[in-house]
Amino acid sequence: MSLFRALKKTCSVIKKSLFSRQTTEAVRMETTKVNMSRVPLVNGDINPAILKAHKPRVMSKSGHSNVRIDKVDGIYLLYLQDLWTTVIDMKWRYKLTLFAATFVMTWFLFGVIYYAIAFLHGDLEINKFTPKHEPCVKNVDSLTGAFLFSLESQTTIGYGFRFITEECPHAIFLLVAQLVITTLVEIFITGTFLAKIARPKKRAETIKFSHCAVITKHNGELCLVIRVANMRKSLLIQCQLSGKLLQTYETKEGERILLNQASVKFNVDSSSESPFLILPLTFYHILDESSPLRDLTPQNLKEKDFELVVLLNATVESTSAVCQSRTSYIPEEIHWGYEFVPVVSLSPNGKYVADFSQFEKIRRSTDSTFYSMDSEKQKLEEKYRQEDQRERELRTMLLQQSNV
C-alpha cells in the first residue's frame, strides 16, 4: 500500500511538472510567433545588425580560422623546417622587410669579410705601401669601400673603379662564394614572392556567399538554402560545395566532444555534380531523416548552438590552381520561412543580368505554414514530443521507486 501511495504521489507531481512545462512552452511559442512577425525588413533584407551576440565562431564570415595553436613544443623549429611555407604565409609587411633585410645584410656581411681580407693583407696601410704592393681589391681602403664593392659585385653593376686582383686567391674564392650563395638566396626570396602573389587565395575572395541562409520548401522538400556567386567573368571549373556542421556532442560513454563534425550535403538545380558557376546559384540541403539538421523547428532554431561551415572548392580556369572559399552560418543567421529574391533577369537587348543589389535580400515564403505557429502539423509534433517525454519520465520514476 505504501508503495502504491508513493507511486500515486509521484504521478501527481509529474503531471504538475508537465502542465507547468506545457504552459511555459506555449508562452515561448507565442513569443516566437510575435518575434517572427516583427523581424525588421529593409526591402526584404534582414539587417545583420540585429543578430545577437553569440559564442566565438570557428570560422569567420570571411573564411578566416578563429583557432589558435598554443603550447606546442618546438613550434619555431617546425616552422624553420618548412621555411618555404613559413615565408609564403608571412604578412606582406614582414615579407617586404625580410626581402630588403636579406639584400642589405648579405651586402654588409661580405663587405665586412672583404674589409677583413684587405686589413690582413695590409691594403689599408696606405703610407706603408711599397711600389710593388698589389692590393686584393683595388680602391678598397675603408669599410664603406668594401661595402660598395660587395654591393656592386652582387648586383653585377661593375662600375670599374673597384675590382678584384690576382694577388689574393682567398678573395677570389670569396667572390665566387658570394655570387653563388646570394643567387640561391635571391631565387628563394623571389620564388616566395611569386608564389604568394599567384596564390589562389585572392581568387577565392571574389567568390561571394550570401550573408544569411534560409529554410524554405524546394520541389516539395524542406531545405536549407544558401546563395553563391562568382564575381569575376573568368570561370571556375569543377566546383564542389560541401558543409560541416560543428556542434557539441556527447557520446554514449559520456565523452563530450566540443566541436563534433558532421557532413552536410548540398545540391543544386543541376544534374551535374560540378555546377556551372557563371551566374549566382542557389544550393540546397534537404532536411530529411538523414540530415544532421533534421530536428530543426521554427521554435528551437534560435535556441540551437551550432555552426555550419560551408566550403566551395573549385579550379581557376586561367591558372588551373585549386582554390577554396569558406564561410559559416550560426542559428541567428538562418531564417525560417523565407526565400531569396531572384537576382537573374533578361535585359531588353537579350543579355542575362545578375543584379547584386538583390543578392542579400530575402522575402517571406508564400507558404504560410513556415511562420504560422498554430499549424496542425506543428501542434501534432509538439504533442507527440510531449507525450514521449512524459512516458520516459514516468518509466524512469517507476524504475527508481521499484529499486527502492
Side-chain angles (χ1 to χ4, degrees):
M1 290 295 293
S2 60
L3 178 60
F4 177 76
R5 290 177 181 175
L7 290 176
K8 186 176 181 181
K9 185 177 180 181
T10 303
C11 292
S12 177
V13 172
I14 292 174
K15 287 181 179 179
K16 290 180 179 179
S17 63
L18 288 176
F19 178 77
S20 176
R21 186 176 302 172
Q22 290 173 2
T23 304
T24 305
E25 184 68 22
V27 172
R28 187 177 63 183
M29 289 173 63
E30 184 65 24
T31 304
T32 307
K33 179 179 180 181
V34 173
N35 292 340
M36 282 294 294
S37 63
R38 296 182 180 180
V39 174
L41 294 178
V42 181
N43 293 328
D45 188 13
I46 290 186
N47 186 2
I50 67 172
L51 300 179
K52 66 179 182 181
H54 202 265
K55 71 173 186 179
R57 295 174 179 265
V58 177
M59 190 73 62
S60 67
K61 295 296 290 183
S62 59
H64 294 92
S65 174
N66 195 30
V67 178
R68 184 183 68 180
I69 300 176
D70 198 9
K71 297 180 181 180
V72 179
D73 294 335
I75 184 67
Y76 296 108
L77 180 61
L78 294 176
Y79 285 162
L80 289 176
Q81 289 176 351
D82 188 12
L83 191 59
W84 176 265
T85 306
T86 301
V87 176
I88 290 179
D89 288 341
M90 278 184 177
K91 294 183 178 180
W92 275 109
R93 54 179 177 270
Y94 300 137
K95 192 169 181 63
L96 292 173
T97 303
L98 176 65
F99 181 76
T102 300
F103 284 98
V104 174
M105 289 179 64
T106 52
W107 295 338
F108 182 75
L109 175 63
F110 283 99
V112 170
I113 299 176
Y114 284 122
Y115 181 78
I117 291 176
F119 176 78
L120 295 175
H121 192 256
D123 298 342
L124 305 180
E125 300 176 0
I126 302 177
N127 297 330
K128 296 182 180 181
F129 277 177
T130 60
K132 295 183 179 181
H133 182 82
E134 185 73 16
C136 293
V137 183
K138 285 284 189 180
N139 300 315
V140 173
D141 51 9
S142 64
L143 182 60
T144 303
F147 174 78
L148 292 175
F149 174 73
S150 174
L151 185 153
E152 294 167 12
S153 300
Q154 185 171 327
T155 56
T156 65
I157 293 177
Y159 290 119
F161 182 70
R162 299 179 182 85
F163 57 91
I164 200 166
T165 65
E166 301 176 357
E167 181 67 20
C168 303
H170 47 280
I172 299 174
F173 176 78
L174 178 63
L175 177 62
V176 174
Q178 178 185 6
L179 295 179
V180 172
I181 294 174
T182 55
T183 299
L184 294 176
V185 173
E186 289 173 13
I187 290 174
F188 179 83
I189 296 297
T190 306
T192 56
F193 255 87
L194 293 176
K196 189 174 181 67
I197 293 174
R199 280 195 308 177
K201 181 179 179 180
K202 295 300 180 182
R203 180 64 179 90
E205 293 179 358
T206 59
I207 300 174
K208 184 178 179 64
F209 290 91
S210 57
H211 186 276
C212 65
V214 298
I215 295 179
T216 185
K217 279 192 175 180
H218 177 71
N219 290 334
E221 298 282 353
L222 190 62
C223 299
L224 172 72
V225 183
I226 63 172
R227 179 177 276 175
V228 184
N230 177 19
M231 307 296 290
R232 283 184 175 271
K233 289 186 177 180
S234 59
L235 298 181
L236 293 171
I237 57 179
Q238 296 181 353
C239 297
Q240 298 288 340
L241 189 135
S242 60
K244 293 292 182 182
L245 182 67
L246 308 180
Q247 60 182 347
T248 303
Y249 175 74
E250 188 170 344
T251 64
K252 295 180 179 179
E253 294 76 19
E255 179 185 2
R256 189 169 182 268
I257 303 175
L258 186 60
L259 291 175
N260 181 61
Q261 299 186 20
S263 296
V264 179
K265 184 179 179 181
F266 282 90
N267 302 314
V268 71
D269 287 336
S270 171
S271 58
S272 173
E273 294 182 358
S274 300
F276 190 46
L277 197 60
I278 191 172
L279 290 170
L281 290 180
T282 303
F283 289 83
Y284 307 89
H285 168 68
I286 302 176
L287 300 177
D288 54 12
E289 291 299 323
S290 61
S291 170
L293 296 170
R294 58 185 175 273
D295 60 339
L296 286 184
T297 63
Q299 296 89 346
N300 65 15
L301 174 60
K302 303 305 179 183
E303 300 174 1
K304 290 288 186 178
D305 186 12
F306 66 84
E307 181 176 350
L308 176 61
V309 178
V310 179
L311 308 99
L312 177 67
N313 296 293
T315 302
V316 183
E317 184 186 34
S318 55
T319 62
S320 298
V322 179
C323 68
Q324 183 182 88
S325 185
R326 302 173 293 269
T327 190
S328 71
Y329 299 94
I330 56 177
E332 287 75 17
E333 296 168 345
I334 301 175
H335 305 286
W336 191 289
Y338 286 81
E339 61 186 9
F340 286 106
V341 175
V343 296
V344 180
S345 60
L346 190 63
S347 65
N349 57 0
K351 288 187 177 182
Y352 288 96
V353 178
D355 184 6
F356 279 91
S357 65
Q358 306 290 325
F359 186 80
E360 300 287 356
K361 293 183 179 180
I362 62 177
R363 64 190 180 190
R364 287 186 180 275
S365 174
T366 55
D367 191 343
S368 61
T369 59
F370 286 113
Y371 42 83
S372 175
M373 295 296 120
D374 298 325
S375 65
E376 292 298 327
K377 181 180 177 181
Q378 292 170 356
K379 283 184 176 181
L380 288 174
E381 289 178 352
E382 186 65 23
K383 179 181 178 181
Y384 291 149
R385 192 180 299 110
Q386 290 178 359
E387 290 179 355
D388 184 62
Q389 180 69 20
R390 188 184 304 113
E391 289 178 1
R392 285 200 300 267
E393 291 182 354
L394 282 172
R395 214 178 294 121
T396 303
M397 190 63 66
L398 290 173
L399 182 61
Q400 292 176 351
Q401 292 292 337
S402 62
N403 290 335
V404 172

